Amino acid sequence: MAPRSSLVTTSTAVFSFIILYLANITAKHRHSTIIDHHHHHHDSSASNPRLQQAYLALQAWKLVIYSDPYNTTTDWIGPSVCSYTGIYCAPYPNDTNIQTVAGIDLNHADIAGFLPNELGLLSDLALLHLNSNRFCGILPLTLSNLTLLFELDLSNNRFVGPFPSVVMSLPSLKFLDLRFNEFEGPLPPELFNKNLDAIFINSNRLTSVIPSNLGSSTASVVVFANNNLGGCLPPSIANFANTMEELLLINTNISGCLPEEVGFLYKLRVLDVSSNKLVGEIPYSIAGLAHLEQLNLGHNMMSGVVPLGVCELPNLVNFTFSYNYFFEEEGVCGNLTSVGIVADDRRNCLPERPLQRSKKECDAVLEHPVDCFELPCGHTHS
């Protein structure tokens, strides 16, 4: 599961009661315990307009749930919405004597249905977790009413359509997880202007190049894997330097050279750009990433020398550079297991190493070395 730093680093615009409330829920989920529903306030919506709105929203939602194999929503009956399974209430910040629906967690319920427009009535919602269900269709634009929402997890469902623009209108959002759906089309550059802590959009059908303003965001974790984005990794990635800890671009069809600016991400612990069309040498700037633990460059078309400075990174535990065209390993790079690093150098052009490419394969590439300073973005050598 992804890091949940958003629960403790949310902006001051989000009320502290919601932070504490959601931190409590998430901590319990982390330890795989069952949340005690006796802690719910069983306020009747009859005397509480905020719970009346929630009742209307949840009943409308229940009408468009077509399969609920674990009977999760069976108790969604009557006005006491705070006692519904998966619904969590907290005091309304402007009047702590009033309860309101602050969180919904239906993770792993295997529910089939869609999200109705009435969900926009849940204007106090701060957490919406729908991971691992069978919800389908498009996201309703009325979700823009959820101005306190700062954690949105819709992963592993069957949502479709363009990248949901409604996400961009959520002012408090910090954690966004849309992975394993069927969103398609271009990735909106505006996404990276938002003050997000984590962005998970892997395993969709997103296309077009990675936006050139990629580094305008404040995210510590960005996962683009398994989309057909293409283009280059922009030099503006350097703007992530103060926040980014994990960057995963596996199988995103990116090409060109890995920019030197990747080495400016001094907090980086995980860098995975495997299964792409990257060419050129390993930027020596990566040797400055003192916190880097995992580096995966496998299944690209990179060449040149595997630099000693990268192999001697103090926290490196896993370095994969197989299925490229590297022709030299400096120093200990040729025997990383001797220093406790798990390494994979298969299918390169390394003399004296086992399981390498044929001389014919290697000569065809190495006779035409790549100059990353002259290589236009997005083009590879033939």
Side-chain angles (χ1 to χ4, degrees):
M1 193 60 189
R4 299 307 248 249
S5 59
S6 57
L7 294 179
V8 293
T9 62
T10 183
S11 67
T12 55
V14 181
F15 297 99
S16 58
F17 88 95
I18 294 178
I19 302 172
L20 293 171
Y21 164 75
L22 294 176
N24 184 48
I25 288 179
T26 306
K28 290 179 180 178
H29 277 278
R30 252 193 220 115
H31 297 289
S32 303
T33 59
I34 299 173
I35 295 172
D36 184 359
H37 281 267
H38 292 296
H39 290 165
H40 287 301
H41 293 262
H42 296 273
D43 290 41
S44 170
S45 65
S47 59
N48 183 335
R50 310 198 83 78
L51 295 184
Q52 286 177 11
Q53 294 283 83
Y55 173 75
L56 294 174
L58 296 171
Q59 291 303 310
W61 197 2
K62 188 175 181 179
L63 288 174
V64 292
I65 287 175
Y66 304 120
S67 174
D68 183 2
Y70 303 132
N71 298 317
T72 305
T73 62
T74 299
D75 64 359
W76 287 21
I77 298 171
S80 297
V81 295
C82 295
S83 65
Y84 289 7
T85 297
I87 307 302
Y88 300 94
C89 293
Y92 178 54
N94 292 345
D95 184 351
T96 56
N97 292 316
I98 296 176
Q99 292 289 301
T100 190
V101 173
I104 296 178
D105 192 324
L106 298 176
N107 282 353
H108 302 282
D110 198 27
I111 293 170
F114 64 89
L115 307 188
N117 289 328
E118 286 84 355
L119 289 187
L121 297 173
L122 299 169
S123 57
D124 301 324
L125 203 62
L127 177 150
L128 180 57
H129 279 182
L130 303 180
N131 176 302
S132 300
N133 285 283
R134 290 173 287 149
F135 289 113
C136 62
I138 61 175
L139 303 191
L141 294 178
T142 54
L143 292 183
S144 62
N145 294 335
L146 309 186
T147 56
L148 292 179
L149 191 69
F150 72 90
E151 183 148 342
L152 178 61
D153 184 353
L154 304 178
S155 59
N156 197 20
N157 279 282
R158 299 173 183 177
F159 292 111
V160 298
F163 186 92
S165 59
V166 68
V167 166
M168 262 71 79
S169 64
L170 299 172
S172 301
L173 194 66
K174 287 287 187 179
F175 181 96
L176 176 65
D177 192 344
L178 301 178
R179 56 188 154 171
F180 295 102
N181 279 286
E182 301 288 332
F183 295 116
E184 57 190 293
L187 197 58
E190 298 85 356
L191 177 64
F192 303 100
N193 293 328
K194 290 191 64 64
N195 189 26
L196 293 165
D197 285 347
I199 303 170
F200 294 87
I201 53 175
N202 48 299
S203 303
N204 279 280
R205 296 170 178 260
L206 298 168
T207 57
S208 81
V209 299
I210 296 175
S212 61
N213 70 329
L214 177 62
S216 299
S217 177
T218 57
S220 60
V221 180
V222 178
V223 183
F224 289 124
N226 302 317
N227 285 289
N228 188 27
L229 298 177
C232 294
L233 183 61
S236 60
I237 189 70
N239 296 337
F240 270 108
N242 292 327
T243 57
M244 180 168 283
E245 298 178 11
E246 299 183 25
L247 177 61
L248 287 86
L249 290 156
I250 309 150
N251 188 32
T252 50
N253 197 32
I254 57 172
S255 56
C257 296
L258 201 58
E260 288 283 344
E261 287 81 2
V262 168
F264 301 168
L265 304 175
Y266 67 94
K267 291 186 176 180
L268 209 59
R269 294 183 297 104
V270 178
L271 174 61
D272 193 333
V273 292
S274 60
S275 300
N276 284 294
K277 299 176 180 177
L278 294 170
V279 296
E281 298 189 354
I282 299 174
Y284 196 77
S285 60
I286 289 179
L289 298 179
H291 298 287
L292 196 65
E293 300 169 10
Q294 299 184 44
L295 175 60
N296 193 341
L297 309 174
H299 291 268
N300 280 286
M301 295 181 285
M302 300 178 74
S303 57
V305 176
V306 181
L308 179 62
V310 173
C311 299
E312 290 183 335
L313 284 169
N315 288 295
L316 193 66
V317 294
N318 194 313
F319 184 14
T320 298
F321 50 97
S322 53
Y323 291 85
N324 280 283
Y325 294 89
F326 296 112
F327 58 78
E328 181 182 345
E329 296 170 306
E330 289 186 341
V332 74
C333 296
N335 189 17
L336 287 170
T337 54
S338 69
V339 290
I341 295 173
V342 177
D344 187 351
D345 64 3
R346 293 172 299 151
R347 302 293 292 167
N348 279 286
C349 302
L350 300 165
E352 310 304 324
R353 295 291 295 165
L355 303 173
Q356 298 298 299
R357 295 184 185 274
S358 69
K359 185 177 185 301
K360 183 179 179 181
E361 275 186 288
C362 292
D363 288 347
V365 171
L366 300 180
E367 287 173 4
H368 303 282
V370 172
D371 185 342
C372 288
F373 293 102
E374 294 184 1
L375 185 71
C377 181
H379 292 270
T380 61
H381 62 285
S382 57

